[in-house]
Amino acid sequence: MKLRKITSLTALLSFAILMLTSIILYIVPPGRVAYWAEWHLWGLSKTQWDNIHITIGILFLITACLHIYYNWKPMVSYLKNQARKIRIFTREFNAALVLTLFVTLFTYFELPPVFWLIDANTAIKDAASRKYGEPPYGHAELSSLKSFCAKMQLDVETSLNQLKAAGMIVDDAGQSIAEIAARNQQTPQQIYLAMQPSVKADIGADDSGRAVLPDNPPAGFGNQVLSTICAKYQLNPDHVLQVLSRENIIAEPDMTIRMIAGNNTVSPMDVYLILKAAANDR
């Protein structure tokens, strides 16, 4: 066997796999969503795709360096002019340099058409967030049930009873949400949904019996979708959108509070206060 051929073929195969993992990681949901919803593609989780991308990328880097070493003379010949003298800034090199700088600078300054790739990536990930749902906070699946309940302002015993009533096997409140999900062949999101009745019971009401927003946003409020909030607190979505528009806030019903805030360069708390005003104005 010739090491030169092995190097070239390994570089080719690793490049092919690297391109595949790059495409998959381009469309994968954000990490917090992927872990919360136990996202898988072809049986592999986001973490497994990440790991493959890193190791294959290193393999490609090593074989690419060896490929350059074994093909140094042809590479150098690309830099020679008609007089067979080495000249770095040849027409071909300049074209390659311009193309590389074009992509780099247009990405840095967020200019089309290059930045359309980033916009498309953001749109894909936002759609995945709406499809799979957002966790109440980052890496919520790693929290113990006791810690999760404390952050979500839930009663631990009531939550345990809710889970057991839903047929879930739970040893104690010290287990993480991810451990409980794995043991019951559920996603962390489904474990949380089994506890939802407790969440609904915490919603306050005014004298007329209508649900009211608390003084401070509840845990995970920023990751909730606007239409879900409207349904939960009995708000008219059209009226809410009008109130937001009057405050120069552009929003859509399927956007999360965090997305609305980010797109309009305000804080989630600013959006929350506008929603409270909309609730008082109904």
Side-chain angles (χ1 to χ4, degrees):
M1 292 188 297
K2 292 185 178 181
L3 186 58
R4 182 170 181 169
K5 289 185 177 181
I6 294 174
T7 299
S8 297
L9 292 173
T10 302
L12 175 63
L13 292 174
S14 58
F15 175 76
I17 297 176
L18 193 61
M19 292 302 98
L20 174 63
T21 56
S22 296
I23 293 171
I24 291 172
L25 293 178
Y26 182 82
I27 63 174
V28 69
R32 63 186 185 279
V33 176
Y35 301 136
W36 182 244
E38 283 291 332
W39 179 91
H40 282 73
L41 180 64
W42 300 334
L44 300 180
S45 66
K46 181 183 182 299
T47 299
Q48 290 171 318
W49 282 113
D50 280 332
N51 293 341
I52 292 173
H53 184 74
I54 291 172
T55 55
I56 292 297
I58 293 174
L59 176 62
F60 174 73
L61 180 62
I62 294 172
T63 54
C65 290
L66 288 173
H67 181 75
I68 293 174
Y69 171 76
Y70 287 126
N71 295 276
W72 181 250
K73 288 184 178 181
M75 294 290 290
V76 171
S77 68
Y78 295 152
L79 301 176
K80 291 182 178 180
N81 57 19
Q82 292 181 344
R84 307 303 295 168
K85 292 182 179 180
I86 294 179
R87 181 183 166 196
I88 295 177
F89 293 101
T90 61
R91 287 183 299 178
E92 292 78 9
F93 182 88
N94 291 339
L97 180 62
V98 168
L99 179 60
T100 302
L101 288 176
F102 171 81
V103 173
T104 302
L105 293 176
F106 272 57
T107 302
Y108 177 78
F109 289 108
E110 302 183 3
L111 297 174
V114 176
F115 206 74
W116 289 342
L117 292 171
I118 306 300
D119 289 338
N121 178 250
T122 301
I124 291 171
K125 292 187 181 299
D126 288 345
S129 297
R130 293 191 293 270
K131 178 180 178 180
Y132 298 107
E134 290 268 3
Y137 56 89
H139 291 296
E141 72 281 353
L142 301 180
S143 300
S144 67
L145 180 61
K146 182 178 180 180
S147 174
F148 183 83
C149 289
K151 291 183 178 181
M152 298 304 297
Q153 301 177 350
L154 301 174
D155 180 72
V156 179
E157 290 302 321
T158 302
S159 297
L160 277 169
N161 292 334
Q162 287 287 146
L163 291 173
K164 291 177 180 178
M168 307 291 180
I169 300 174
V170 186
D171 293 334
D172 55 64
Q175 285 184 285
S176 70
I177 301 298
E179 290 173 340
I180 297 172
R183 182 167 185 181
N184 292 276
Q185 297 183 330
Q186 303 286 325
T187 67
Q189 181 187 50
Q190 290 171 319
I191 298 300
Y192 179 48
L193 290 175
M195 301 158 62
Q196 283 298 321
S198 299
V199 178
K200 294 179 180 178
D202 291 337
I203 299 176
D206 58 18
D207 294 336
S208 62
R210 294 181 301 184
V212 296
L213 279 75
D215 293 334
N216 296 307
F221 188 84
N223 293 325
Q224 295 186 37
V225 176
L226 181 60
S227 59
T228 301
I229 293 171
C230 290
K232 185 175 181 179
Y233 292 99
Q234 302 171 9
L235 301 174
N236 185 307
D238 293 333
H239 174 65
V240 169
L241 291 175
Q242 289 176 1
V243 174
L244 288 169
S245 179
R246 287 202 298 266
E247 298 295 331
N248 296 318
I249 303 294
I250 300 174
E252 295 293 338
D254 59 353
M255 296 172 65
T256 66
I257 299 302
R258 197 178 306 280
M259 289 166 55
I260 295 171
N263 290 348
N264 292 275
T265 62
V266 297
S267 70
M269 187 63 185
D270 292 330
V271 179
Y272 182 75
L273 292 176
I274 296 175
L275 292 181
K276 277 186 64 67
N280 295 334
D281 191 35
R282 59 187 169 182

